[in-house]
Amino acid sequence: MGNMTSGTVTPAKRPGGRSARVREAVYAAVATLLSQAEEPTIPAIAARAGVNPTSVYRRWGDVDALVEEVAVAVLTEDAPIPDTGSLRADLTIWAQFLATDISRPERVAFLRALVGSLRDEDGKGKCTANREVQIAQILGHARARGDATPEVEQVMDQVVAPLYYAVLFERDGADRAHAQILVERLLP
């Protein structure tokens, strides 16, 4: 039953236990539903996990809290840290691993669920599409003046993405000063 130490009885720890099994089953159910582009609901998650919906409601409260918890757990898994003796090589290896990892369909599904990205009929993020149109207009005006311009994708990658990242992950850098620095880096 327990471990006997100095005349006291301590309960034996179960590796994982029922709570861990339920959590794993629920996490797997959320992952499956998201990867299949199905709307996760508590009843659907519970049915797929083989647990009572009441257990899911009691533990997580609502589907948004559950999806957020699962997405954060999946997206923050440890990645191998290279140490080749070269910063450039280490960052390249790490960034390549990260790009591969977050590009896997289940990771994309979790990131989109976490962000709450709304999609249009073509699968493009509405927010992204709007920003691309705005950038294209700005670049069009500059080209009409005879200015050399970067591509829309360069502006998205080097200006828009870092700003969204800063906001999404609560990092410094989503302010006017940083926006100016990003544009100066893009257009030295």
Side-chain angles (χ1 to χ4, degrees), residues 5-174:
T5 313
S6 306
T8 62
V9 176
T10 56
K13 290 186 178 181
R14 292 187 293 168
R18 183 181 186 284
S19 181
R21 286 191 305 275
V22 167
R23 184 181 66 247
E24 288 172 15
V26 168
Y27 276 28
V30 170
T32 300
L33 290 169
L34 289 175
S35 68
Q36 295 174 351
E38 293 181 35
E39 183 66 28
T41 64
I42 296 293
I45 293 165
R48 189 168 290 272
V51 300
N52 190 308
T54 306
S55 299
V56 178
Y57 282 114
R58 186 173 38 249
R59 183 163 182 170
W60 286 281
D62 62 37
V63 73
D64 291 334
L66 172 57
V67 169
E68 180 179 345
E69 180 180 316
V70 174
V72 168
V74 168
L75 294 172
T76 58
E77 289 178 348
D78 289 334
I81 305 298
D83 188 4
T84 65
S86 162
L87 176 60
R88 179 180 303 278
D90 291 347
L91 284 175
T92 300
I93 291 166
W94 179 85
Q96 289 171 338
F97 172 83
L98 180 64
T100 300
D101 185 56
I102 65 174
S103 297
R104 292 178 10 216
E106 64 274 13
R107 296 291 203 252
V108 172
F110 280 119
L111 188 55
R112 287 181 179 158
L114 184 61
V115 173
S117 178
L118 298 174
R119 299 281 185 217
D120 64 16
E121 305 79 45
D122 298 324
K124 185 128 182 120
K126 290 179 183 178
C127 183
T128 303
N130 291 341
R131 295 295 181 229
E132 288 174 345
V133 167
Q134 294 166 349
I135 292 165
Q137 289 173 345
I138 293 168
L139 297 178
H141 294 156
R143 283 189 199 107
R145 292 188 301 268
D147 296 342
T149 63
E151 297 298 318
V152 170
E153 292 78 20
Q154 289 176 285
V155 179
M156 290 295 290
D157 291 346
Q158 296 177 32
V159 178
V160 177
L163 293 172
Y164 275 85
Y165 177 87
V167 169
L168 184 61
F169 295 105
E170 298 178 358
R171 302 280 310 236
D172 292 337

